[in-house]
Amino acid sequence: MVRQIAHIIIPPREKRSATFRVFTAETTPEEEANRGLLFGLFVIDYYHHRNEEILDSIVEELQSRYYDPDIAAREPEELLEETIRSLNTTLAHLIENEQIFLNIKRFHAVIGVLRGKALTFTHLGDFNIFLLHQSVTQKQHLINLIATTDTKEESKSPPITRIFSNLVSGTLRTNDEVFCTTNNLLDYCTKERLQKIIATPPPPQAL
């Protein structure tokens, strides 16, 4: 399966107003074949001098836990669920003991794994995850995979022990494209323009 990863950056109006990270796991061919490719997108939408340190810790926890050779190989959905549970425990401990400052209501993230055509992810906060699907009639459809989420629940802070919770799983078809973006991207372009962006292959250097 051909996979390309690229990102679009819209600079914040104010310097140092947010911290973001795009993460793809460093894997061996065997690890990727057996467990898939782990990825994450993170935004802390306020400035704090330890934001980068927090994101470093999250990425390190995800990478080391998901690909831990001492954990028996299982389906990616099960491995991701266990990894997310471990991350929740770690973050709750650090926050409750005031070892880090993280305002959960202003922390936005997508964490997922792709193995072959199987996609599993969890999300937090103001993220949209779009699927650009081409039907048998060659017509393209832009679908928001989390559009049915209860907005009343999203407006509340998640329990400290379950910062990340529900997993979503599905199978991609040939020519499907997945695009993750914070909600404010739609302030800069229409859905029609977004569909054209997704449908345009990224340059080789974006691999």
Side-chain angles (χ1 to χ4, degrees), residues 62-111:
L62 290 171
Q63 173 86 37
S64 61
R65 184 74 182 181
Y66 189 82
Y67 295 102
D68 187 345
D70 293 331
I71 299 177
R74 279 170 267 166
E75 289 300 307
E77 184 173 354
E78 295 178 64
L79 283 170
L80 184 59
E81 184 176 11
E82 185 169 324
T83 300
I84 292 301
R85 189 181 303 120
S86 175
L87 177 61
N88 282 338
T89 300
T90 298
L91 288 176
H93 174 78
L94 293 175
I95 293 171
E96 288 174 340
N97 288 278
E98 299 183 350
Q99 295 178 14
I100 63 171
F101 171 76
L102 183 62
N103 184 339
I104 302 303
K105 292 197 73 171
R106 299 184 64 183
F107 176 46
H108 318 285
V110 173
I111 300 171

Side-chain angles (χ1 to χ4, degrees), residues 104-153:
I104 302 303
K105 292 197 73 171
R106 299 184 64 183
F107 176 46
H108 318 285
V110 173
I111 300 171
V113 62
L114 180 65
R115 187 179 72 172
K117 295 183 179 181
L119 174 67
T120 301
F121 67 86
T122 183
H123 80 283
L124 172 70
D126 293 334
F127 258 102
N128 282 309
I129 304 175
F130 292 102
L131 170 67
L132 184 61
H133 172 68
Q134 185 170 287
S135 67
V136 292
T137 61
Q138 304 301 307
K139 185 177 181 180
Q140 291 183 323
H141 301 275
L142 187 64
I143 305 165
N144 190 337
L145 297 181
I146 58 174
T148 58
T149 301
D150 188 342
T151 55
K152 292 182 180 179
E153 291 299 318

Side-chain angles (χ1 to χ4, degrees), residues 3 5 21-33 35-40 56 59-60 62-69 112-113:
R3 176 176 55 249
I5 297 175
R21 181 77 57 88
V22 178
F23 154 73
T24 53
E26 297 178 2
T27 64
T28 65
E30 182 180 2
E31 286 175 331
E32 186 168 340
R35 303 193 180 202
L37 181 68
L38 184 69
F39 64 89
D56 286 343
V59 167
E60 182 179 351
L62 290 171
Q63 173 86 37
S64 61
R65 184 74 182 181
Y66 189 82
Y67 295 102
D68 187 345
V113 62

Side-chain angles (χ1 to χ4, degrees), residues 159-206:
I160 195 68
T161 56
R162 295 188 67 219
I163 296 174
F164 294 98
S165 53
N166 299 333
L167 295 181
V168 178
S169 298
T171 302
L172 302 178
R173 297 183 181 181
T174 302
N175 296 325
D176 279 353
E177 302 280 354
V178 176
F179 189 86
C180 306
T181 171
T182 50
N183 291 348
N184 65 343
L185 181 62
L186 296 179
D187 295 336
Y188 296 86
C189 65
T190 63
K191 285 189 176 181
E192 291 73 19
R193 176 58 179 159
L194 181 59
Q195 183 167 326
K196 290 180 181 179
I197 292 173
I198 300 173
T200 303
Q205 62 267 31

